[in-house]
Amino acid sequence: MKNNFKHIILCVACAVATAGTAIAENTQWLGLLPKPVKVELLGGEYRYTPAVGVLCERSVRAYVSEYLAGGFGATGVILCINPSLDMPSEGYVLEVGTNGIVVEGVDRAGLLNGFHTLLQLFPREVYEGDFRRECRIPCLRITDYPAYHYRGQHLDVARTFSTVSQVEEFLSHLAHHKINHLHLHLTDDEGWRVEIQSHPQLAEIGGWRGGDSPIWSVYGAWGERYGGYYTQDELRHLVEYAHQRGITIVPEIDLPGHSLTIGKVYPEVLCPVEMDNSRAVGYDKRNVWCVSREENYQLLDDILGEICDIFPSEYIHIGGDEVDTSYWQKCPHCSALYRAKGMTDYHQLQEVFMERVADMLVGRGRKVAMWNEAAERGNLSHSVRIHGWEGVEECRKVAEAGYPTVVMPGPYFYFDMRQSKHEDGHNWAGVVTLEKCYSVNLDALGYSARAKESVVGFSGAFWSELYLPHSYKYENYLEYQTFPRICALAEIGWMSEDSREWSDFAERLEAHKGRMEAMGISFRRGEPAKQRGRQITPSLEITTSLPISSDKALAKLSAYANDYGCRTTRTCYKDDWVLYSFAEPIGGVVVELTTGYRHVPRGVFPMGVVEVSSDGKTYDEVATLDNGSATIAIDKPVRYIRLRSTATGNGDRFVYLQFPIITRQRK
Ligand code: TNX
C-alpha cells in the first residue's frame, strides 16, 4: 500500500514537472495571504473536477475532506508528508501541474500549511465546505515556510464567555491564516471558565456573574446571571478540533493577581487583610493569592494537574501580570516571609510564588509561560517563555535578557483597542489601525541580533471586558475587532522582516476579503462613516449629586471642552443624578447622553433613566440608559435634562460624567 502511494506521487509529480519551467511574473493577483516565500508560475492550468480522487495523509484526512472530499475518479490531488524535504519545520512544497496537484509537507504542520495555501488557489466557495464544482487552477510551484514558529492569537474567555461553537469558529478562521497557537485566557477577576473536578465549585460558582453570584456584573445586565464554563470534555474536544487544524491551545490560569473570582469562591486563598471599601459601597478588589499560605500550593497543584491532563501543550501559561503587592505588605504572614528572606522589593515574593508554581508544571514535563512583568527583575529561570504585552520596549528587554519571547505589545497587537478615534474599544494603547499593526519591524524597533534570536514569534490579543456591552451593536464584535488585523499578524509571523511591504499586503488583502466573506467572517470593512449631523453647543451648566474630583474639570465639561470627562470620587448610589441646565430652552435637536468613558462602558450609571423638564420642577421620563448611555430626540423645547441612577454600584469606585453631544435634527 505504501509503495503504491509513493508510485502515484511520482506519477503526478512527473506530470507536474513537465508542466514547464518557471515564468517570471507578478503573482500578486493570486492574493495569497500570508505571502509565500516563493511562487513560480509554470504556465498552463489544471482543470479540477469534483470527480478526481484525493489521496491524503491519514492524520489530516478528516479535516481535508471537510473542504475537498474528492470523488472516485483518477487521483488528482495528493497531500502527503515527506520528511526528507530540505526545508525548515512547518515548510511545504505545493505543485500544480496540468495533471494534478501535489502538496508535500516536511511534517504534519507543513502539510496543513500547504493545504491552507491550496484552498486559497481554489474559488472562494471552497470555504463554504465540501467543494463540488469544476475550476481551473494555474500551474505553479510554491516553496514556503514560516519565519517564526509561534504565530498566535489570544482570546479572553474569562471576562466574556465564548461558547464552544464560537471558539470552534474562531479556530477555523485562525487556521486559514496559518495561525498555529490559540492562547486561551481561562480565568480572571470576572470569571473562572474551566471545570476542575477536584474543586467543582470553582467553575460552578466562578463561571457566573450577576444575580445571586458572589461575582458582580459590571456592565448592563445588573440583576441577571450570565456566563458559563467549559467542561473538561468540551475542552478536550476543542484541543482536538484545534489539533486537526494545526493549532495548539495554550491554556492560561492567571496567577497570582487577576484572581478575584477564586477569591470569591474560596476567600481563604487571599491574604487575611480587611480592606476599607466604605467609599466604594463594599466593592472588594482583593485579587491576589496569599503567597505564604501553604494550603494554597496544594490547591494550585490540584488545579494545574487537571490543566495538564486536559491540555497536551508543551507550554502552560500562568499569568503573572498586574500584581498588586500592597496586599502582601498588609498581610502579617507575607510580610513576615518577606522579612525572613531579607527581601528588598515585594515583587520578589511574586518570584517565589511563580517559581514554585512553575516547578509543579516542570515536574509534569511541561514548560511555563508568563507575562513580561514576571521577568522584570530578571531572576526567573530562562526556560520560562515570556509573553511581552505592555509595549515594544518591555518585549525587547526580556528578549535581550535571553528569555524566549512572544512579542504581543498592546500598541500593535491588542485587538481590543479601537481601530479609529470614533469607534468602540479600549484606548490605553492608542488607536491600533491595520497599518500600525502591519508596521511592526524588529529591526526598526531597535532589537539587537541577540534580542531577535530570542523572539519565537508574535501574537494578537483580544481582551473581552468590553465584548458583552458592545456585542449587541455588531454581527460579531470579536470578528469585527480581530479581522483583518489578524491578516496583518499572520504575515508578520510568516514573512521575514525585510520582505514585507504595506502596499503589497493591502493589494492582496483586497483579494482575500472575498475568501473571508466565504468563511463567514464579519470583518471590519473600513472606517465607518460618522453618523452625526452638525454639533451645537448651547450655553450649559452641569451639576450632580455625586462628589466630583475637580470643580475645574466640571466647569470645563459645562463648556463642552473636556473630552475625557469628569471623574467622581465614589461610585453611584440609587437616585444619584446628573443635571444639564441650559440657559435657553433647546428643541429640534438630538442629544447623546453618556455616563462613563466615551468608548468604554466603564464608570457608568449601569441602570438609569433620562428625564426632561421645562421648569426644573416636574420631570418627564423619556428614555432608559443602555450601558450608561442614551440618545434622545427633543422636539418641543426643554431647559433641563436629568440622568438619574436607578441602581447602586457600578463595579467601579467612580463615575465619569460627560458633556452631551447635541446636533440639530435632520429634516
Ligand atoms: C491589560 S494584557 C491586561 C488585561 C486587560 C487588557 C486590556 C494583560 C496581561 N493585562 O487584563 O484586559 O490590558 O487591553
Side-chain angles (χ1 to χ4, degrees):
M1 180 60 202
K2 218 171 165 200
N3 271 337
N4 206 359
F5 189 71
K6 267 204 179 130
H7 177 71
I8 299 173
I9 295 178
L10 279 178
C11 290
V12 179
C14 286
V16 168
T18 53
T21 43
I23 308 164
E25 203 186 301
N26 184 345
T27 55
Q28 275 297 91
W29 57 276
L30 292 168
L32 298 177
L33 191 157
K35 187 175 186 167
V37 172
K38 190 169 165 199
V39 182
E40 300 160 280
L41 288 175
L42 304 173
E45 57 191 15
Y46 171 61
R47 289 161 169 247
Y48 174 86
T49 78
V52 303
V54 174
L55 196 62
C56 185
E57 147 72 27
R58 183 204 295 264
S59 67
V60 301
R61 196 179 295 153
Y63 173 52
V64 165
S65 65
E66 286 180 25
Y67 297 92
L68 298 177
F72 297 102
T75 301
V77 181
I78 294 176
L79 296 123
C80 59
I81 294 173
N82 179 0
S84 64
L85 280 181
D86 183 20
M87 49 169 44
S89 72
E90 292 194 74
Y92 68 92
V93 178
L94 186 167
E95 298 200 3
V96 181
T98 47
N99 284 348
I101 300 173
V102 179
V103 184
E104 285 182 287
V106 68
D107 47 25
R108 180 176 178 273
L111 176 57
L112 283 167
N113 286 328
F115 172 62
H116 288 128
T117 301
L118 176 64
L119 290 180
Q120 298 195 358
L121 295 171
F122 274 80
R124 52 184 271 182
E125 288 79 7
V126 74
Y127 292 104
E128 288 159 8
D130 187 11
F131 186 74
R132 302 243 143 244
R133 287 173 31 168
E134 295 193 0
C135 67
R136 293 164 184 225
I137 299 176
C139 293
L140 48 69
R141 185 185 305 119
I142 297 176
T143 314
D144 198 16
Y145 47 85
Y148 292 92
H149 163 65
Y150 193 102
R151 302 178 304 281
Q153 175 61 38
H154 151 287
L155 178 64
D156 171 6
V157 293
R159 271 62 175 271
T160 299
F161 182 64
S162 289
T163 62
V164 170
S165 65
Q166 284 170 328
V167 179
E168 280 179 355
E169 217 180 318
F170 197 52
L171 281 164
S172 164
H173 301 333
L174 295 179
H176 290 308
H177 292 82
K178 301 191 176 77
I179 299 291
N180 64 353
H181 288 84
L182 175 70
H183 170 174
L184 207 53
H185 186 75
L186 286 165
T187 69
D188 213 303
D189 295 331
E190 295 84 350
W192 185 282
R193 308 297 181 196
V194 46
E195 175 193 19
I196 300 297
Q197 289 173 350
S198 55
H199 303 276
Q201 290 186 322
L202 271 177
E204 281 167 13
I205 297 174
W208 304 91
R209 302 174 74 184
D212 60 359
S213 167
I215 303 131
W216 314 292
S217 69
V218 176
Y219 310 120
W222 203 244
E224 188 186 315
R225 207 171 109 98
Y226 62 94
Y229 66 89
Y230 309 110
T231 65
Q232 297 199 354
D233 281 347
E234 286 172 331
L235 287 167
R236 287 197 177 92
H237 162 78
L238 285 174
V239 166
E240 176 55 26
Y241 186 93
H243 174 71
Q244 293 241 325
R245 286 154 181 77
I247 299 175
T248 301
I249 298 187
V250 182
E252 179 189 351
I253 303 295
D254 202 349
L255 302 166
H258 284 269
S259 298
L260 191 120
T261 306
I262 193 165
K264 288 291 168 191
V265 182
Y266 300 128
E268 61 277 15
V269 307
L270 307 177
C271 297
V273 178
E274 289 306 319
M275 297 301 285
D276 173 15
N277 291 308
S278 55
R279 292 230 297 187
V281 282
Y283 278 112
D284 185 348
K285 296 271 179 189
R286 286 177 303 158
N287 70 349
V288 181
W289 286 67
C290 180
V291 176
S292 49
R293 182 174 181 267
E294 251 335 280
E295 297 89 325
N296 279 0
Y297 295 95
Q298 185 52 51
L299 174 57
L300 284 163
D301 197 59
D302 293 346
I303 293 169
L304 292 171
E306 293 192 35
I307 293 294
C308 288
D309 285 346
I310 304 167
F311 297 97
S313 59
E314 186 184 7
Y315 281 88
I316 307 286
H317 199 305
I318 53 173
D321 61 315
E322 300 180 316
V323 179
D324 183 346
T325 55
S326 67
Y327 305 113
W328 296 336
Q329 296 181 34
K330 290 179 194 128
C331 169
H333 312 299
C334 290
S335 55
L337 181 64
Y338 171 86
R339 283 192 301 274
K341 296 227 175 218
M343 290 177 176
T344 51
D345 178 341
Y346 268 89
H347 284 100
Q348 286 167 296
L349 279 181
Q350 179 178 348
E351 276 156 17
V352 168
F353 177 90
M354 293 316 259
E355 289 283 3
R356 198 158 163 192
V357 176
D359 283 347
M360 298 173 190
L361 292 165
V362 172
R364 291 180 166 92
R366 303 306 178 91
K367 292 183 179 160
V368 186
M370 300 181 199
W371 295 113
N372 60 253
E373 293 102 307
E376 239 157 46
R377 275 146 296 276
N379 298 329
L380 289 176
S381 88
H382 280 65
S383 60
V384 175
R385 184 173 74 200
I386 298 297
H387 292 231
W389 67 275
E390 285 172 285
V392 170
E393 199 35 36
E394 284 81 359
C395 295
R396 198 192 57 74
K397 264 194 213 145
V398 286
E400 194 76 54
Y403 292 103
T405 304
V406 175
V407 174
M408 47 189 305
Y412 293 89
F413 294 131
Y414 267 32
F415 301 151
D416 46 314
M417 295 301 139
R418 54 183 145 143
Q419 309 186 63
S420 70
K421 253 190 130 166
H422 61 277
E423 280 174 88
D424 291 328
H426 269 131
N427 62 1
W428 69 259
V431 170
V432 179
T433 62
L434 179 63
E435 195 163 356
K436 171 92 192 275
C437 174
Y438 199 74
S439 74
V440 159
N441 183 312
L442 298 184
D443 296 325
L445 293 169
Y447 281 54
S448 67
R450 175 182 156 86
K452 270 169 66 177
E453 236 170 73
S454 306
V455 172
V456 297
F458 298 87
S459 178
F462 181 80
W463 297 94
S464 62
E465 52 264 64
L466 310 181
Y467 187 170
L468 200 65
H470 288 327
S471 57
Y472 70 101
K473 278 195 265 173
Y474 297 82
E475 222 175 289
N476 187 321
Y477 186 62
L478 167 63
E479 290 175 2
Y480 184 87
Q481 288 294 88
T482 54
F483 288 95
R485 289 190 283 195
I486 282 177
C487 303
L489 170 75
E491 295 224 330
I492 289 158
W494 192 268
M495 296 168 70
S496 62
E497 293 290 301
D498 50 3
S499 64
R500 296 192 301 263
E501 199 190 315
W502 165 255
S503 59
D504 173 275
F505 166 73
E507 200 181 311
R508 280 177 293 109
L509 181 62
E510 281 313 306
H512 186 66
K513 282 181 179 170
R515 293 187 197 118
M516 290 200 285
E517 265 165 22
M519 290 172 203
I521 302 178
S522 308
F523 60 94
R524 178 182 185 266
R525 279 157 205 272
E527 196 164 334
K530 286 198 197 115
Q531 298 283 319
R532 277 181 202 141
R534 195 170 64 83
Q535 203 170 323
I536 55 169
T537 53
S539 182
L540 162 73
E541 191 188 1
I542 303 177
T543 49
T544 176
S545 62
L546 282 135
I548 48 165
S549 57
S550 132
D551 290 340
K552 238 167 122 187
L554 191 63
K556 265 181 113 178
L557 210 60
S558 294
Y560 301 92
N562 188 344
D563 280 333
Y564 289 100
C566 171
R567 199 183 208 272
T568 70
T569 55
R570 63 161 168 81
T571 191
C572 53
Y573 303 151
K574 186 167 178 295
D575 288 328
D576 266 329
W577 49 264
V578 186
L579 180 66
Y580 304 89
S581 314
F582 295 92
E584 302 290 336
I586 57 164
V589 291
V590 175
V591 184
E592 274 177 56
L593 298 149
T594 304
T595 56
Y597 298 105
R598 280 214 190 274
H599 300 281
V600 179
R602 266 196 80 177
V604 297
F605 281 1
M607 288 199 290
V609 292
V610 183
E611 300 160 322
V612 296
S613 165
S614 43
D615 59 5
K617 288 181 195 132
T618 50
Y619 280 86
D620 294 326
E621 186 178 317
V622 291
T624 52
L625 294 179
D626 187 3
N627 285 305
S629 301
T631 299
I632 57 168
I634 298 179
D635 301 326
K636 278 197 260 137
V638 299
R639 265 195 70 193
Y640 303 93
I641 304 175
R642 185 166 73 183
L643 305 181
R644 192 163 53 79
S645 174
T646 54
T648 285
N650 66 358
D652 272 307
R653 292 159 190 256
F654 55 83
V655 175
Y656 260 85
L657 311 185
Q658 302 289 353
F659 60 78
I661 293 177
I662 308 171
T663 50
R664 293 223 177 279
Q665 273 179 15
R666 288 166 197 243
K667 289 277 168 306

